[in-house]
Amino acid sequence: MTQDIGPETGPVLELGPGTGPFTRALLTRGVRERDLTLIESDPDFAAMLRRRFPGARILEMDAVGLRHLPLFDEPVVGAAVSGLPFRLITPRHTRAILEGVFANLRPGGALYQFTLGWRCPIDQPMLDCLDLEATRIGFTLRNFPPATVYRISRIKTVKTYDWRFS
Ligand SMILES: C[S@@+](CC[C@H](N)C(=O)[O-])C[C@H]1O[C@@H](n2cnc3c(N)ncnc32)[C@H](O)[C@@H]1O
């Protein structure tokens, strides 16, 4: 989940950190606590996260609200990490969450999504609609059920020169 992320990533957004296993992994990889913004909707988990990670910014809210929340002045987030159960989230809310995340991600930034399912929890039509692509970058049998990680990033558009307009 965190192998591509380090201190050079800069600000990191985490969605649904729960008790914070990925948060700890991010800190172990050298991400500064002050660079972490954690979005957790459960009040008990949010309170636990405040105790465990006092230097991080912890927002107790539904990630759906990200789209309307000016988290940063500019899109400066280098990576977002998510344990959100997208299979249980409606398409409308999934779209709002993805739009909120990618509004904050700088060019080249990506969303790392954990899943216990066999497929990417964000359907292909949704990815297509938002010009995103998902790449399976990790898998482990050490988790039960086995866990998979997808990197979701903007589709790179290749600029072509159209000679008709020259
Ligand atoms: C499956 S748990 C994953 C927790 C942690 N990342 C882990 O791997 O142990 C999902 C977490 O997302 C939180 N969550 C679910 N829906 C959410 C939403 N719409 N906005 C913010 N947090 C949400 C839950 O409260 C829970 O802490």
Side-chain angles (χ1 to χ4, degrees), residues 1 14-23 39-43 45 49 59-65 81-85 89 93 97 114 116:
M1 264 308 262
E14 186 178 352
L15 311 178
T19 57
F22 299 150
T23 321
I39 313 283
E40 173 55 60
S41 60
D42 182 278
F45 284 147
L49 293 164
L59 302 176
E60 184 187 321
M61 59 177 276
D62 190 321
V64 170
V81 168
S82 164
L84 290 183
I89 297 176
H93 285 176
I97 293 170
F114 170 88
L116 298 175

Side-chain angles (χ1 to χ4, degrees), residues 81-115:
V81 168
S82 164
L84 290 183
F86 276 110
R87 290 263 166 240
L88 305 177
I89 297 176
T90 64
R92 194 162 65 91
H93 285 176
T94 296
R95 182 180 178 141
I97 293 170
L98 291 174
E99 286 177 348
V101 168
F102 278 88
N104 285 288
L105 279 176
R106 65 174 182 247
L111 165 66
Y112 295 85
Q113 176 66 40
F114 170 88
T115 181

Side-chain angles (χ1 to χ4, degrees), residues 8 33 35-36 45 52 56 73 79 82-83 92 96 104 108 113 117 134-135 139 149 162 166:
E8 70 290 347
E33 204 167 315
D35 277 337
L36 288 173
F45 284 147
R52 290 187 174 172
D73 294 338
S82 164
R92 194 162 65 91
N104 285 288
Q113 176 66 40
T135 310
F139 175 75
V149 177
D162 193 331
S166 60

